[in-house]
Amino acid sequence: MKNRLKLLRAERDWSQGELATRLGISRQSVNAIETGKYDPSLPLAFRIADLFALRIEDIFLRDEEGAGE
Amino acid sequence: MKNRLKLLRAERDWSQGELATRLGISRQSVNAIETGKYDPSLPLAFRIADLFALRIEDIFLRDEEGAGE
DNA sequence: GAGGCATGTCAATGACACTTTACATTATGT
DNA sequence: ACATAATGTAAAGTGTCATTGACATGCCTC
């Protein structure tokens, strides 16, 4: 399960801490998700999608998706 | 976090056990998700969406969504 | 009424999501 | 050189996801 979180965050010039605050989670959780340590829970994935006004499928990708690029 | 799992399963005439097998999880897990005991992990949510050929947002709903119906 | 099937639920266990505290690194500014 | 901000990482703790095994119910059929 890959994700485009780091990219989306960079587009908005947000630090990990700032994104964490907006999501109501810890900075370390943001870091862990970005660096692929684990996947967020489904409710958190929805909050992330809402924050960026995107669909979950546009932020989180199956491991094959977009891999060959 | 609500979900339309029971409905989608009924449309296909699958038992909880049959759905569980197709998803590679236990029957009790299917039951627990359907009865709202907990939400699936994000990877499992993707597997469910793939199985029904739907988007996650079309199966799992924020608590407000479609509530007033 | 006995047998099978689908469902709901409970207890116990292991794995993972998320937390706090803490430390190291790198870059920037004074 | 010192301080600050951002990032990466680690350990320990809590709660939730998901597991198996078991038991009870209702339905359907024989």
Side-chain angles (χ1 to χ4, degrees), chain A residues 4 8 11-12 45-60, chain B residues 57 62:
Chain A
R4 307 201 302 130
L8 292 167
E11 285 175 0
R12 284 154 185 80
F46 266 94
R47 267 184 278 152
I48 294 172
D50 287 346
L51 179 60
F52 291 110
L54 292 170
R55 281 174 295 158
I56 288 182
E57 281 89 350
D58 294 328
I59 301 177
F60 299 94
Chain B
E57 279 89 350
R62 295 163 190 75

Side-chain angles (χ1 to χ4, degrees), chain B residues 20-32:
Chain B
T21 300
R22 288 176 193 263
L23 290 172
I25 61 178
S26 68
R27 180 184 68 84
Q28 287 85 339
S29 293
V30 168
N31 186 343

Side-chain angles (χ1 to χ4, degrees), chain A residues 11-31:
Chain A
E11 285 175 0
R12 284 154 185 80
D13 248 351
W14 291 343
S15 68
Q16 291 183 345
E18 190 162 349
L19 175 56
T21 300
R22 289 176 193 262
L23 291 172
I25 61 177
S26 70
R27 179 183 70 83
Q28 285 81 347
S29 293
V30 168
N31 186 347

Side-chain angles (χ1 to χ4, degrees), chain B residues 42-63:
Chain B
L42 187 57
L44 178 52
F46 266 94
R47 266 185 280 153
I48 294 171
D50 286 347
L51 180 60
F52 291 111
L54 291 170
R55 282 174 295 160
I56 289 182
E57 279 89 350
D58 294 329
I59 301 177
F60 300 93
L61 312 172
R62 295 163 190 75
D63 286 331

